[in-house]
Amino acid sequence: MHRKNTGKVVQYALLVLFFVILIGPLLWQLTLAFKGKGDDIYAVPPYVFPKDPTFDNFIEAFNRIPVLKYFGNSLIVAAISVCGNVVGSTLAGYALARLKFWGKRIVVLMIFSAMLIPGETLLISQFIIVKNFGLQNTLLGAALPGLCSAMNVLLMMNAFSGIPMELEEAAKVDGANVWQRFFNVCLPQVKGTMTVVTIFAFVGAWNDFLWPLIILGDDSVYTLTVGLNRLKNQFVSDPRLIAAGTVIALVPIVIFFLIFQRYFFKGVEEGGIKG
């Protein structure tokens, strides 16, 4: 009994440790954004809850940079990425999981290989391609490299693979063609995974900083992550503004996840046929 209790104590201690490591920086940024001029942000030991809480940091951030403009640009890039990933990965996942064609294994191997290559090594080639298409300094150019993620293709392929083949065979006997089987038989079974892909694509596009920083040179087309970087350049001596900008960028992700969280967990647990 003593060993059992000790094991539980160790488990809970590890959970608390991981919680602090993962949530601690976010909690610090959140509280820092609300700390006023009367708060010593360099106090030792540091304190979490503001002694002089204020919304002035957010107001100042909105006054210094066009947050709403950057917000709209990020929303457009995220929408393009979401549409591309949902449509592209769903079609590709269905083809790889359900159809037979020459070179299928090679395609799957190439997709796996794409996941192993660091994205930073592709930046130069991506920039040349986007520039040659005349999409430099455009929101479409910012969204193009993330239009269809290899990970999302594999997620959809796995989801389609869990659907019994008998369903499609029965539909095929009834005269359904491949598109009818895709839309009427298979697609309704993977809506949960499609939601997971939607969330991954949105968060990835919204948080992307390096690629938009490279491809976007005009202030009018800056995304929110790139635009908020101006706070750091101009006000590096005041971390409160930077923290406020971080919170502003985080809010849409939290709202988006709260809206789709029910479908997200359904997609994570998705497997086989749903009744």
Side-chain angles (χ1 to χ4, degrees):
M1 181 65 67
H2 178 70
R3 288 184 176 181
K4 186 177 181 180
N5 292 335
T6 303
K8 286 186 177 180
V9 171
V10 172
Q11 289 177 357
Y12 283 115
L14 289 174
L15 286 175
V16 171
L17 176 62
F18 284 119
F19 177 82
V20 172
I21 293 175
L22 295 175
I23 306 298
L26 175 62
L27 181 62
W28 177 255
Q29 284 290 94
L30 182 62
T31 58
L32 184 60
F34 291 96
K35 289 184 176 181
K37 299 298 182 182
D39 284 291
D40 183 6
I41 61 176
Y42 301 108
V44 179
Y47 56 90
V48 176
F49 299 102
K51 297 179 181 179
D52 182 26
T54 180
F55 286 96
D56 290 345
N57 298 322
F58 296 94
I59 297 173
E60 184 70 12
F62 273 89
N63 289 336
R64 295 293 180 177
I65 61 174
V67 174
L68 295 181
K69 176 64 176 178
Y70 298 155
F71 182 94
N73 293 339
S74 287
L75 199 60
I76 293 173
V77 172
I80 295 173
S81 180
V82 167
C83 292
N85 275 277
V86 171
V87 175
S89 62
T90 300
L91 292 174
Y94 175 80
L96 294 172
R98 316 296 291 189
L99 303 181
K100 296 180 180 179
F101 55 91
W102 184 88
K104 179 177 176 179
R105 292 186 177 181
I106 298 177
V107 174
V108 175
L109 181 60
M110 291 177 63
I111 293 175
F112 273 107
S113 300
M115 295 176 58
L116 302 176
I117 302 175
E120 291 78 7
T121 62
L122 304 175
L123 288 176
I124 296 177
S125 58
Q126 288 177 353
F127 179 82
I128 294 174
I129 293 172
V130 172
K131 183 178 180 181
N132 289 337
F133 276 107
L135 296 177
Q136 182 182 0
N137 205 36
T138 65
L139 296 178
L140 179 58
L144 194 58
L147 206 57
C148 190
S149 167
M151 172 62 75
N152 291 335
V153 172
L154 293 179
L155 285 174
M156 294 308 305
M157 183 180 72
N158 181 69
F160 282 117
S161 298
I163 302 174
M165 290 297 298
E166 291 79 4
L167 287 177
E168 272 199 275
E169 292 174 355
K172 191 174 182 180
V173 171
D174 291 338
N177 59 36
V178 65
W179 287 108
Q180 290 172 327
R181 299 197 302 271
F182 171 72
F183 283 109
N184 299 326
V185 177
C186 294
L187 201 60
Q189 307 296 329
V190 296
K191 289 182 178 179
T193 306
M194 290 175 66
T195 303
V196 174
V197 170
T198 299
I199 294 175
F200 283 174
F202 180 86
V203 173
W206 189 270
N207 286 337
D208 192 14
F209 172 75
L210 183 57
W211 173 249
L213 180 65
I214 293 173
I215 200 66
L216 301 177
D218 189 349
D219 178 81
S220 63
V221 292
Y222 276 177
T223 57
L224 188 59
T225 52
V226 177
L228 289 175
N229 192 51
R230 293 174 55 188
L231 292 175
K232 182 178 180 180
N233 291 335
Q234 298 179 24
F235 307 103
V236 68
S237 60
D238 192 352
R240 299 176 182 86
L241 285 180
I242 302 173
T246 302
V247 173
I248 292 172
L250 180 64
V251 169
I253 297 177
V254 174
I255 295 175
F256 192 84
F257 181 78
L258 290 176
I259 293 174
F260 291 99
Q261 64 171 332
R262 179 165 61 94
Y263 305 99
F264 174 81
F265 291 113
K266 177 184 176 183
V268 170
E269 299 173 358
E270 196 168 65
I273 181 173
K274 276 66 68 179

